[in-house]
Amino acid sequence: MNFHPGAFIDSLYYMGVGMLGIMLVIGVIIGITALLNKITNKKPANKKDSLK
Amino acid sequence: MEILYENLLKLEWQQIVMWAIGGILIFLAIKKDMEPTLLLPIGFGAILVNLPFSGAVTQIVDGAVEEGALSVLFDAGIANELFPLILFIGIGAMIDFGPLLANPKLMIFGAAAQFGIFFTLCVASMFFDINDAAAIAIIGAADGPTSIVVAQKLMSKYLGAIMVAAYSYMALVPIIQPPIIKLLTTKKERLIRMPYEQKEVSKLTRILFPIIITVIAGLIAPASVSLIGFLMFGNLIRECGVLNSLSDTAQKVLANLITIFLGITIATKMQADQFLKPETLLILGLGLVAFIFDTAGGVLFAKFINLFAKKKINPMIGAAGISAFPMSGRVVHKMGQAEDPQNFLLMHSIGVNVSGQIASVIAGGLILNFFS
């Protein structure tokens, strides 16, 4: 085990790409889930129908 | 006569230290109720494999290889990642994504709370080669199976220490998180109420969700597809409505059976010569760093969102994105109630908590994409 302080700076690239990647993937999942909710949620019956 | 005490003379002090460590893990499991399903088997296994010439692990005796049962189990279930993946089916069957599906925006906090993984990767890379640093960083996933799979795929030699750190810190979430959350939030922020609006989630959404997540994660981080796929397969069994018996088996019998073997088998990597190293202490420290920065990442991201949001978010819920399910969600809810007994954050925090489960697996996949 050795101590290489410079490795911290070198690894910042992975931090940036990793966090960006995870935000993008989750962002896509949020969008698709919201869309799914919109498409699959039952619309409330309109007043005319409910009066019949 | 000599044959009765011959083995006793081979006992080394390092093995006695490992017995003590095993004893501590068993004590924490039984007395403190800390992750008992895993810490108890790991603790017992640590004693079992640290007996001189233990027949439980493969040994070379007089030049001949004598296979041990635990080593065989390790090769059969952990070296090929089978046990953690099968356990994921059970975990997937246990998780109700309902609160998350009702409010999908919460998922973003699950992503933010993976910051600790990547920060720890940077810190660990100063001490270890990059593959070991990545395996250590994934302790921050706060998820045992993901840690095992990533450490195995990256061929880390520190699997034992990584597992002990991952499961110990998961159990310590109620102790680790509150001071960090308090340090980063004001009382006024902790008092923010978030009324919960009950929204109906259609059965079709519940069924399509695990399938879509698997496809998206698989396309972007193909290395994570087995992890996320098994998790979502378990969830699909739960939500489809026609496999209740299988869902029940996955949640109870399957998960319990694998857990029994998983814990005790992990202990094969806790033999004194592999475990008692300065690196182990450093890994335990880095694991703590990962959990602290995960928590900080989630809380600070929620505070950042509050700069722009009309409806303010209680930033404490960001901390629940750490994954450790359901402890983290409960910790946040309890902290909210401690500040204001009328503040019910549970549904929000549990929603963020399950999103952390998904995000941590994706983070594991990204780490594997980078380094495997």
Side-chain angles (χ1 to χ4, degrees):
Chain A
M1 188 173 62
N2 297 309
F3 181 58
H4 303 289
F8 186 94
I9 305 292
D10 297 340
S11 304
L12 284 177
Y13 164 79
Y14 297 112
M15 186 200 277
V17 177
M19 284 309 290
L20 182 70
I22 203 161
M23 287 287 180
L24 278 176
V25 177
I26 294 291
V28 171
I29 293 172
I30 290 172
I32 290 178
T33 310
L35 199 67
L36 264 180
N37 277 336
K38 210 169 188 180
I39 295 168
T40 62
N41 271 359
K42 285 175 194 165
K43 287 173 190 164
N46 64 36
K47 277 188 179 177
K48 267 188 182 175
D49 290 344
S50 60
L51 287 172
K52 278 178 189 173
Chain B
M1 191 66 187
E2 193 187 325
I3 199 164
L4 293 177
Y5 60 84
E6 185 182 40
N7 206 32
L8 191 68
L9 298 176
K10 305 260 170 58
L11 188 63
E12 293 170 2
W13 68 267
Q14 292 94 333
Q15 291 172 317
I16 296 171
V17 172
M18 289 308 296
W19 294 357
I21 292 172
I24 291 169
L25 294 178
I26 293 172
F27 171 79
L28 292 174
I30 297 172
K31 198 74 183 169
K32 303 286 177 187
D33 200 29
M34 284 170 58
E35 291 282 331
T37 50
L38 279 150
L39 290 192
L40 189 138
I42 292 175
F44 184 77
I47 297 170
L48 187 62
V49 302
N50 282 293
L51 294 162
F53 295 105
S54 169
V57 284
T58 300
Q59 306 270 352
I60 296 174
V61 180
D62 299 330
V65 177
E66 284 185 9
E67 286 202 351
L70 287 186
S71 301
V72 172
L73 269 175
F74 187 89
D75 290 338
I78 294 185
N80 55 15
E81 296 118 30
L82 203 60
F83 285 172
L85 290 175
I86 294 175
L87 183 58
F88 250 25
I89 296 178
I91 295 172
M94 287 176 207
I95 296 178
D96 174 13
F97 285 117
L100 183 67
L101 293 172
N103 191 1
K105 281 180 278 183
L106 292 178
M107 263 188 259
I108 201 71
F109 300 113
Q114 306 311 313
F115 174 70
I117 295 176
F118 295 102
F119 180 79
T120 306
L121 168 65
C122 295
V123 178
S125 68
M126 295 193 288
F127 304 97
F128 297 92
D129 71 58
I130 196 71
N131 274 31
D132 280 326
I136 293 163
I138 210 70
I139 294 171
D143 175 31
T146 304
S147 301
I148 297 172
V149 169
V150 172
Q152 265 305 115
K153 276 198 193 291
L154 295 177
M155 290 185 278
S156 173
K157 48 192 174 292
Y158 301 111
L159 182 66
I162 290 169
M163 290 317 305
V164 170
Y167 281 111
S168 304
Y169 290 135
M170 262 191 278
L172 289 171
V173 155
I175 297 167
I176 297 170
Q177 286 202 302
I180 312 295
I181 296 171
K182 280 199 169 178
L183 189 73
L184 296 173
T185 54
T186 62
K187 188 169 177 66
K188 195 179 162 191
E189 285 172 326
R190 293 195 293 274
L191 283 168
I192 294 174
R193 287 190 180 184
M194 294 177 67
Y196 181 71
E197 295 162 27
Q198 185 79 35
K199 286 181 194 165
E200 201 176 313
V201 178
S202 70
K203 189 177 175 186
L204 185 59
T205 301
R206 284 177 181 269
I207 291 172
L208 289 177
F209 182 73
I211 299 169
I212 290 171
I213 297 277
T214 306
V215 172
I216 295 171
L219 288 174
I220 296 171
S224 74
V225 83
S226 54
L227 276 169
I228 200 88
F230 276 63
L231 183 76
M232 291 300 155
F233 173 58
N235 192 251
L236 185 59
I237 289 175
R238 173 198 175 97
E239 299 295 352
C240 69
V242 292
L243 295 173
N244 291 340
S245 170
L246 292 193
S247 170
D248 200 43
T249 303
Q251 289 181 43
K252 294 170 187 165
V253 180
L254 181 70
N256 284 343
L257 198 61
I258 292 295
T259 303
I260 290 173
F261 288 123
L262 190 70
I264 200 161
T265 310
I266 287 289
T268 52
K269 294 292 168 192
M270 290 181 72
Q271 292 174 73
D273 57 332
Q274 298 170 29
F275 196 84
L276 287 183
K277 294 175 178 174
E279 287 95 323
T280 300
L281 279 179
L282 189 56
I283 290 167
L284 291 174
L286 288 166
L288 185 60
V289 168
F291 270 65
I292 290 171
F293 279 84
D294 276 345
T295 306
V299 172
L300 292 175
F301 189 75
K303 287 172 72 119
F304 175 71
I305 295 283
N306 271 350
L307 294 176
F308 313 99
K310 280 182 188 169
K311 267 189 184 176
K312 299 294 177 201
I313 299 159
N314 189 316
M316 290 197 296
I317 68 161
I322 197 170
S323 177
F325 179 81
M327 293 88 80
S328 189
R330 286 183 191 151
V331 164
V332 169
H333 173 66
K334 276 186 186 171
M335 286 185 74
Q337 293 237 296
E339 298 286 344
D340 171 6
Q342 299 302 313
N343 198 0
F344 292 93
L345 296 171
L346 189 64
M347 293 311 280
H348 300 290
S349 60
I350 289 291
V352 173
N353 210 179
V354 293
S355 79
Q357 182 76 52
I358 296 172
S360 65
V361 175
I362 293 169
L366 287 171
I367 291 271
L368 287 176
N369 269 13
F370 290 149
F371 304 111
S372 65

Short mmCIF file of all heavy atoms in Angstrom, two decimals, chain B residues 241-295:
data_model
loop_
_atom_site.label_atom_id
_atom_site.label_comp_id
_atom_site.label_asym_id
_atom_site.label_seq_id
_atom_site.Cartn_x
_atom_site.Cartn_y
_atom_site.Cartn_z
N GLY B 241 -49.25 -10.19 -10.12
CA GLY B 241 -50.55 -10.57 -9.57
C GLY B 241 -50.95 -12.01 -9.82
O GLY B 241 -51.96 -12.47 -9.30
N VAL B 242 -50.17 -12.73 -10.62
CA VAL B 242 -50.54 -14.13 -10.90
C VAL B 242 -49.50 -15.12 -10.32
O VAL B 242 -49.63 -16.32 -10.50
CB VAL B 242 -50.70 -14.38 -12.42
CG1 VAL B 242 -51.89 -13.64 -12.96
CG2 VAL B 242 -49.43 -14.00 -13.17
N LEU B 243 -48.48 -14.57 -9.64
CA LEU B 243 -47.44 -15.45 -9.09
C LEU B 243 -47.26 -15.18 -7.59
O LEU B 243 -46.14 -15.07 -7.11
CB LEU B 243 -46.12 -15.23 -9.84
CG LEU B 243 -46.10 -15.63 -11.32
CD1 LEU B 243 -44.79 -15.22 -11.97
CD2 LEU B 243 -46.30 -17.14 -11.48
N ASN B 244 -48.37 -15.09 -6.91
CA ASN B 244 -48.28 -14.75 -5.48
C ASN B 244 -47.50 -15.78 -4.68
O ASN B 244 -46.77 -15.44 -3.75
CB ASN B 244 -49.69 -14.58 -4.90
CG ASN B 244 -50.36 -13.35 -5.46
OD1 ASN B 244 -49.69 -12.45 -5.97
ND2 ASN B 244 -51.68 -13.30 -5.41
N SER B 245 -47.66 -17.04 -5.05
CA SER B 245 -46.95 -18.09 -4.32
C SER B 245 -45.44 -17.95 -4.53
O SER B 245 -44.65 -18.07 -3.60
CB SER B 245 -47.46 -19.45 -4.80
OG SER B 245 -46.66 -20.45 -4.29
N LEU B 246 -45.03 -17.68 -5.80
CA LEU B 246 -43.60 -17.50 -6.08
C LEU B 246 -43.07 -16.25 -5.38
O LEU B 246 -41.95 -16.24 -4.86
CB LEU B 246 -43.36 -17.37 -7.59
CG LEU B 246 -43.60 -18.59 -8.48
CD1 LEU B 246 -43.00 -18.37 -9.86
CD2 LEU B 246 -43.01 -19.84 -7.87
N SER B 247 -43.88 -15.20 -5.40
CA SER B 247 -43.47 -13.96 -4.74
C SER B 247 -43.23 -14.20 -3.25
O SER B 247 -42.23 -13.76 -2.69
CB SER B 247 -44.55 -12.89 -4.96
OG SER B 247 -44.30 -11.77 -4.16
N ASP B 248 -44.14 -14.94 -2.65
CA ASP B 248 -44.03 -15.25 -1.23
C ASP B 248 -42.76 -16.07 -0.96
O ASP B 248 -42.02 -15.81 -0.01
CB ASP B 248 -45.28 -16.03 -0.81
CG ASP B 248 -45.49 -15.98 0.67
OD1 ASP B 248 -45.33 -14.88 1.24
OD2 ASP B 248 -45.79 -17.04 1.27
N THR B 249 -42.51 -17.05 -1.83
CA THR B 249 -41.31 -17.89 -1.67
C THR B 249 -40.04 -17.05 -1.82
O THR B 249 -39.09 -17.20 -1.06
CB THR B 249 -41.32 -19.03 -2.72
OG1 THR B 249 -42.52 -19.76 -2.57
CG2 THR B 249 -40.14 -19.96 -2.54
N ALA B 250 -40.04 -16.17 -2.84
CA ALA B 250 -38.85 -15.34 -3.08
C ALA B 250 -38.57 -14.44 -1.89
O ALA B 250 -37.42 -14.28 -1.48
CB ALA B 250 -39.05 -14.51 -4.35
N GLN B 251 -39.64 -13.86 -1.34
CA GLN B 251 -39.47 -12.91 -0.23
C GLN B 251 -39.00 -13.59 1.05
O GLN B 251 -38.24 -12.99 1.82
CB GLN B 251 -40.80 -12.22 0.09
CG GLN B 251 -41.24 -11.24 -0.96
CD GLN B 251 -42.54 -10.56 -0.60
OE1 GLN B 251 -42.74 -10.16 0.53
NE2 GLN B 251 -43.43 -10.45 -1.56
N LYS B 252 -39.47 -14.82 1.27
CA LYS B 252 -39.17 -15.47 2.55
C LYS B 252 -38.16 -16.61 2.41
O LYS B 252 -37.00 -16.48 2.79
CB LYS B 252 -40.46 -15.96 3.20
CG LYS B 252 -41.37 -14.80 3.60
CD LYS B 252 -42.74 -15.26 4.01
CE LYS B 252 -43.67 -14.06 4.23
NZ LYS B 252 -45.06 -14.46 4.28
N VAL B 253 -38.61 -17.72 1.82
CA VAL B 253 -37.78 -18.93 1.82
C VAL B 253 -36.48 -18.71 1.03
O VAL B 253 -35.39 -18.98 1.54
CB VAL B 253 -38.57 -20.12 1.22
CG1 VAL B 253 -37.72 -21.38 1.22
CG2 VAL B 253 -39.85 -20.35 2.01
N LEU B 254 -36.61 -18.21 -0.20
CA LEU B 254 -35.42 -18.04 -1.04
C LEU B 254 -34.44 -17.07 -0.40
O LEU B 254 -33.23 -17.36 -0.29
CB LEU B 254 -35.83 -17.55 -2.44
CG LEU B 254 -34.69 -17.36 -3.43
CD1 LEU B 254 -34.10 -18.70 -3.84
CD2 LEU B 254 -35.17 -16.62 -4.67
N ALA B 255 -34.95 -15.90 0.01
CA ALA B 255 -34.06 -14.88 0.60
C ALA B 255 -33.40 -15.41 1.87
O ALA B 255 -32.20 -15.21 2.09
CB ALA B 255 -34.86 -13.62 0.90
N ASN B 256 -34.17 -16.12 2.70
CA ASN B 256 -33.59 -16.65 3.94
C ASN B 256 -32.53 -17.71 3.67
O ASN B 256 -31.47 -17.72 4.31
CB ASN B 256 -34.69 -17.26 4.82
CG ASN B 256 -35.51 -16.18 5.51
OD1 ASN B 256 -35.08 -15.03 5.59
ND2 ASN B 256 -36.68 -16.53 5.98
N LEU B 257 -32.84 -18.59 2.73
CA LEU B 257 -31.90 -19.68 2.42
C LEU B 257 -30.57 -19.12 1.91
O LEU B 257 -29.49 -19.53 2.37
CB LEU B 257 -32.55 -20.57 1.34
CG LEU B 257 -31.99 -21.96 1.16
CD1 LEU B 257 -32.14 -22.78 2.41
CD2 LEU B 257 -32.71 -22.66 0.00
N ILE B 258 -30.65 -18.19 0.99
CA ILE B 258 -29.42 -17.62 0.44
C ILE B 258 -28.66 -16.85 1.52
O ILE B 258 -27.43 -16.91 1.60
CB ILE B 258 -29.75 -16.70 -0.76
CG1 ILE B 258 -30.28 -17.51 -1.93
CG2 ILE B 258 -28.52 -15.89 -1.19
CD1 ILE B 258 -29.31 -18.49 -2.55
N THR B 259 -29.42 -16.14 2.37
CA THR B 259 -28.76 -15.33 3.42
C THR B 259 -27.95 -16.23 4.36
O THR B 259 -26.85 -15.86 4.77
CB THR B 259 -29.83 -14.54 4.21
OG1 THR B 259 -30.54 -13.74 3.28
CG2 THR B 259 -29.19 -13.65 5.25
N ILE B 260 -28.50 -17.39 4.69
CA ILE B 260 -27.77 -18.31 5.58
C ILE B 260 -26.41 -18.66 4.97
O ILE B 260 -25.37 -18.56 5.62
CB ILE B 260 -28.59 -19.62 5.80
CG1 ILE B 260 -29.83 -19.34 6.64
CG2 ILE B 260 -27.73 -20.70 6.46
CD1 ILE B 260 -30.78 -20.53 6.75
N PHE B 261 -26.42 -19.03 3.69
CA PHE B 261 -25.17 -19.46 3.05
C PHE B 261 -24.25 -18.27 2.76
O PHE B 261 -23.03 -18.38 2.86
CB PHE B 261 -25.46 -20.22 1.76
CG PHE B 261 -26.04 -21.59 2.00
CD1 PHE B 261 -27.24 -21.97 1.47
CD2 PHE B 261 -25.35 -22.51 2.80
CE1 PHE B 261 -27.77 -23.22 1.70
CE2 PHE B 261 -25.87 -23.77 3.05
CZ PHE B 261 -27.09 -24.13 2.50
N LEU B 262 -24.86 -17.14 2.41
CA LEU B 262 -24.06 -15.97 2.01
C LEU B 262 -23.15 -15.51 3.15
O LEU B 262 -21.94 -15.36 2.98
CB LEU B 262 -25.00 -14.83 1.61
CG LEU B 262 -24.35 -13.63 0.94
CD1 LEU B 262 -23.86 -13.98 -0.44
CD2 LEU B 262 -25.34 -12.47 0.83
N GLY B 263 -23.74 -15.34 4.33
CA GLY B 263 -22.97 -14.81 5.46
C GLY B 263 -21.82 -15.71 5.84
O GLY B 263 -20.67 -15.26 5.95
N ILE B 264 -22.12 -16.98 6.00
CA ILE B 264 -21.08 -17.90 6.49
C ILE B 264 -20.01 -18.13 5.41
O ILE B 264 -18.84 -18.34 5.71
CB ILE B 264 -21.69 -19.22 7.01
CG1 ILE B 264 -20.69 -19.92 7.94
CG2 ILE B 264 -22.17 -20.13 5.91
CD1 ILE B 264 -21.31 -20.94 8.85
N THR B 265 -20.43 -18.04 4.14
CA THR B 265 -19.46 -18.26 3.06
C THR B 265 -18.52 -17.07 2.90
O THR B 265 -17.34 -17.24 2.60
CB THR B 265 -20.21 -18.54 1.73
OG1 THR B 265 -21.17 -19.56 1.96
CG2 THR B 265 -19.27 -19.00 0.66
N ILE B 266 -19.06 -15.86 3.12
CA ILE B 266 -18.22 -14.66 3.05
C ILE B 266 -17.04 -14.80 4.01
O ILE B 266 -15.93 -14.32 3.75
CB ILE B 266 -19.05 -13.42 3.45
CG1 ILE B 266 -20.04 -13.05 2.36
CG2 ILE B 266 -18.16 -12.22 3.79
CD1 ILE B 266 -19.43 -12.46 1.14
N ALA B 267 -17.28 -15.49 5.12
CA ALA B 267 -16.25 -15.61 6.16
C ALA B 267 -14.99 -16.32 5.67
O ALA B 267 -13.94 -16.20 6.29
CB ALA B 267 -16.82 -16.33 7.37
N THR B 268 -15.08 -17.03 4.54
CA THR B 268 -13.85 -17.67 4.03
C THR B 268 -12.79 -16.62 3.70
O THR B 268 -11.60 -16.91 3.66
CB THR B 268 -14.12 -18.49 2.73
OG1 THR B 268 -14.81 -17.66 1.81
CG2 THR B 268 -14.91 -19.73 3.02
N LYS B 269 -13.23 -15.38 3.48
CA LYS B 269 -12.28 -14.30 3.19
C LYS B 269 -11.85 -13.58 4.47
O LYS B 269 -11.30 -12.48 4.42
CB LYS B 269 -12.91 -13.29 2.20
CG LYS B 269 -13.17 -13.89 0.84
CD LYS B 269 -11.88 -14.21 0.12
CE LYS B 269 -12.11 -15.08 -1.10
NZ LYS B 269 -10.89 -15.65 -1.68
N MET B 270 -12.18 -14.17 5.61
CA MET B 270 -11.80 -13.54 6.87
C MET B 270 -10.75 -14.36 7.61
O MET B 270 -10.69 -14.35 8.84
CB MET B 270 -13.04 -13.32 7.75
CG MET B 270 -13.95 -12.24 7.20
SD MET B 270 -15.37 -11.96 8.23
CE MET B 270 -14.65 -11.14 9.64
N GLN B 271 -9.95 -15.10 6.86
CA GLN B 271 -8.86 -15.81 7.52
C GLN B 271 -7.82 -14.80 7.96
O GLN B 271 -7.58 -13.81 7.26
CB GLN B 271 -8.26 -16.84 6.56
CG GLN B 271 -9.24 -17.99 6.28
CD GLN B 271 -8.73 -18.94 5.22
OE1 GLN B 271 -7.83 -19.71 5.47
NE2 GLN B 271 -9.32 -18.88 4.05
N ALA B 272 -7.22 -15.06 9.11
CA ALA B 272 -6.36 -14.06 9.76
C ALA B 272 -5.31 -13.48 8.82
O ALA B 272 -5.09 -12.27 8.79
CB ALA B 272 -5.70 -14.68 10.99
N ASP B 273 -4.67 -14.35 8.03
CA ASP B 273 -3.57 -13.86 7.18
C ASP B 273 -4.07 -12.91 6.09
O ASP B 273 -3.31 -12.08 5.60
CB ASP B 273 -2.80 -15.04 6.56
CG ASP B 273 -3.70 -15.96 5.76
OD1 ASP B 273 -4.91 -16.03 6.07
OD2 ASP B 273 -3.20 -16.59 4.80
N GLN B 274 -5.36 -13.02 5.72
CA GLN B 274 -5.90 -12.12 4.69
C GLN B 274 -6.56 -10.88 5.30
O GLN B 274 -6.65 -9.84 4.66
CB GLN B 274 -6.97 -12.84 3.86
CG GLN B 274 -6.46 -14.03 3.09
CD GLN B 274 -7.62 -14.83 2.49
OE1 GLN B 274 -8.68 -14.32 2.18
NE2 GLN B 274 -7.41 -16.12 2.33
N PHE B 275 -7.06 -11.04 6.53
CA PHE B 275 -7.90 -9.98 7.11
C PHE B 275 -7.14 -9.03 8.03
O PHE B 275 -7.40 -7.82 8.03
CB PHE B 275 -9.06 -10.63 7.89
CG PHE B 275 -10.19 -9.69 8.21
CD1 PHE B 275 -11.19 -9.44 7.28
CD2 PHE B 275 -10.26 -9.04 9.43
CE1 PHE B 275 -12.24 -8.56 7.56
CE2 PHE B 275 -11.30 -8.16 9.72
CZ PHE B 275 -12.29 -7.93 8.78
N LEU B 276 -6.21 -9.57 8.81
CA LEU B 276 -5.51 -8.71 9.79
C LEU B 276 -4.36 -7.95 9.12
O LEU B 276 -3.19 -8.32 9.23
CB LEU B 276 -5.00 -9.55 10.96
CG LEU B 276 -6.05 -10.05 11.93
CD1 LEU B 276 -5.42 -10.80 13.08
CD2 LEU B 276 -6.90 -8.91 12.48
N LYS B 277 -4.72 -6.91 8.44
CA LYS B 277 -3.74 -6.07 7.73
C LYS B 277 -4.11 -4.63 7.99
O LYS B 277 -5.29 -4.33 8.23
CB LYS B 277 -3.84 -6.31 6.21
CG LYS B 277 -3.46 -7.69 5.74
CD LYS B 277 -3.74 -7.76 4.24
CE LYS B 277 -3.34 -9.08 3.66
NZ LYS B 277 -3.73 -9.19 2.26
N PRO B 278 -3.16 -3.71 7.88
CA PRO B 278 -3.50 -2.29 8.05
C PRO B 278 -4.55 -1.85 7.03
O PRO B 278 -5.38 -0.99 7.30
CB PRO B 278 -2.18 -1.56 7.80
CG PRO B 278 -1.12 -2.58 7.84
CD PRO B 278 -1.73 -3.92 7.62
N GLU B 279 -4.54 -2.49 5.85
CA GLU B 279 -5.50 -2.13 4.80
C GLU B 279 -6.94 -2.31 5.27
O GLU B 279 -7.83 -1.56 4.86
CB GLU B 279 -5.28 -2.98 3.54
CG GLU B 279 -4.05 -2.62 2.75
CD GLU B 279 -2.86 -3.49 3.12
OE1 GLU B 279 -2.73 -3.83 4.33
OE2 GLU B 279 -2.07 -3.83 2.24
N THR B 280 -7.17 -3.31 6.12
CA THR B 280 -8.54 -3.57 6.59
C THR B 280 -9.08 -2.37 7.36
O THR B 280 -10.21 -1.94 7.15
CB THR B 280 -8.58 -4.84 7.47
OG1 THR B 280 -8.11 -5.94 6.69
CG2 THR B 280 -9.99 -5.14 7.96
N LEU B 281 -8.22 -1.82 8.23
CA LEU B 281 -8.64 -0.64 9.01
C LEU B 281 -8.92 0.53 8.08
O LEU B 281 -9.90 1.28 8.25
CB LEU B 281 -7.55 -0.24 10.01
CG LEU B 281 -7.50 -1.03 11.32
CD1 LEU B 281 -6.35 -0.54 12.17
CD2 LEU B 281 -8.83 -0.91 12.07
N LEU B 282 -8.06 0.68 7.07
CA LEU B 282 -8.24 1.76 6.11
C LEU B 282 -9.56 1.58 5.34
O LEU B 282 -10.31 2.54 5.11
CB LEU B 282 -7.06 1.80 5.15
CG LEU B 282 -6.96 2.99 4.21
CD1 LEU B 282 -6.98 4.31 4.96
CD2 LEU B 282 -5.71 2.90 3.34
N ILE B 283 -9.86 0.33 4.97
CA ILE B 283 -11.12 0.05 4.24
C ILE B 283 -12.32 0.38 5.12
O ILE B 283 -13.31 0.96 4.65
CB ILE B 283 -11.14 -1.43 3.76
CG1 ILE B 283 -10.11 -1.62 2.64
CG2 ILE B 283 -12.54 -1.82 3.26
CD1 ILE B 283 -9.81 -3.06 2.29
N LEU B 284 -12.24 0.03 6.40
CA LEU B 284 -13.34 0.36 7.32
C LEU B 284 -13.53 1.88 7.38
O LEU B 284 -14.64 2.39 7.38
CB LEU B 284 -13.08 -0.21 8.72
CG LEU B 284 -13.14 -1.75 8.84
CD1 LEU B 284 -12.73 -2.20 10.22
CD2 LEU B 284 -14.52 -2.28 8.51
N GLY B 285 -12.40 2.61 7.43
CA GLY B 285 -12.47 4.08 7.45
C GLY B 285 -13.06 4.63 6.17
O GLY B 285 -13.91 5.53 6.19
N LEU B 286 -12.64 4.07 5.03
CA LEU B 286 -13.14 4.55 3.73
C LEU B 286 -14.63 4.24 3.57
O LEU B 286 -15.37 5.03 2.96
CB LEU B 286 -12.34 3.92 2.59
CG LEU B 286 -10.91 4.44 2.44
CD1 LEU B 286 -10.08 3.53 1.53
CD2 LEU B 286 -10.90 5.87 1.90
N GLY B 287 -15.06 3.11 4.12
CA GLY B 287 -16.49 2.78 4.09
C GLY B 287 -17.30 3.83 4.82
O GLY B 287 -18.37 4.26 4.36
N LEU B 288 -16.77 4.28 5.94
CA LEU B 288 -17.47 5.33 6.71
C LEU B 288 -17.51 6.63 5.91
O LEU B 288 -18.55 7.31 5.86
CB LEU B 288 -16.76 5.54 8.05
CG LEU B 288 -17.41 6.51 9.03
CD1 LEU B 288 -18.81 6.04 9.40
CD2 LEU B 288 -16.57 6.64 10.30
N VAL B 289 -16.40 6.95 5.25
CA VAL B 289 -16.36 8.14 4.39
C VAL B 289 -17.46 8.05 3.33
O VAL B 289 -18.18 9.02 3.07
CB VAL B 289 -14.97 8.27 3.72
CG1 VAL B 289 -14.98 9.32 2.61
CG2 VAL B 289 -13.90 8.62 4.75
N ALA B 290 -17.61 6.86 2.73
CA ALA B 290 -18.61 6.68 1.68
C ALA B 290 -20.02 6.95 2.21
O ALA B 290 -20.81 7.65 1.58
CB ALA B 290 -18.52 5.26 1.11
N PHE B 291 -20.33 6.40 3.39
CA PHE B 291 -21.67 6.59 3.95
C PHE B 291 -21.91 8.07 4.31
O PHE B 291 -23.00 8.59 4.11
CB PHE B 291 -21.85 5.70 5.20
CG PHE B 291 -22.40 4.34 4.88
CD1 PHE B 291 -21.68 3.44 4.12
CD2 PHE B 291 -23.66 3.95 5.32
CE1 PHE B 291 -22.18 2.18 3.81
CE2 PHE B 291 -24.18 2.69 5.02
CZ PHE B 291 -23.43 1.80 4.27
N ILE B 292 -20.88 8.72 4.84
CA ILE B 292 -21.03 10.13 5.23
C ILE B 292 -21.28 11.00 4.00
O ILE B 292 -22.18 11.84 3.98
CB ILE B 292 -19.77 10.61 6.00
CG1 ILE B 292 -19.74 9.94 7.39
CG2 ILE B 292 -19.74 12.13 6.13
CD1 ILE B 292 -18.44 10.18 8.15
N PHE B 293 -20.50 10.76 2.94
CA PHE B 293 -20.64 11.61 1.76
C PHE B 293 -21.88 11.25 0.92
O PHE B 293 -22.40 12.11 0.21
CB PHE B 293 -19.35 11.60 0.92
CG PHE B 293 -18.32 12.53 1.49
CD1 PHE B 293 -17.48 12.12 2.52
CD2 PHE B 293 -18.23 13.83 1.05
CE1 PHE B 293 -16.55 12.98 3.08
CE2 PHE B 293 -17.30 14.71 1.60
CZ PHE B 293 -16.46 14.29 2.63
N ASP B 294 -22.35 10.01 1.03
CA ASP B 294 -23.65 9.67 0.42
C ASP B 294 -24.74 10.52 1.07
O ASP B 294 -25.56 11.14 0.38
CB ASP B 294 -24.01 8.20 0.70
CG ASP B 294 -23.38 7.23 -0.30
OD1 ASP B 294 -22.92 7.69 -1.36
OD2 ASP B 294 -23.36 6.03 0.00
N THR B 295 -24.73 10.52 2.39
CA THR B 295 -25.73 11.28 3.15
C THR B 295 -25.64 12.76 2.80
O THR B 295 -26.67 13.41 2.51
CB THR B 295 -25.52 11.08 4.67
OG1 THR B 295 -25.49 9.69 4.94
CG2 THR B 295 -26.61 11.75 5.49
#
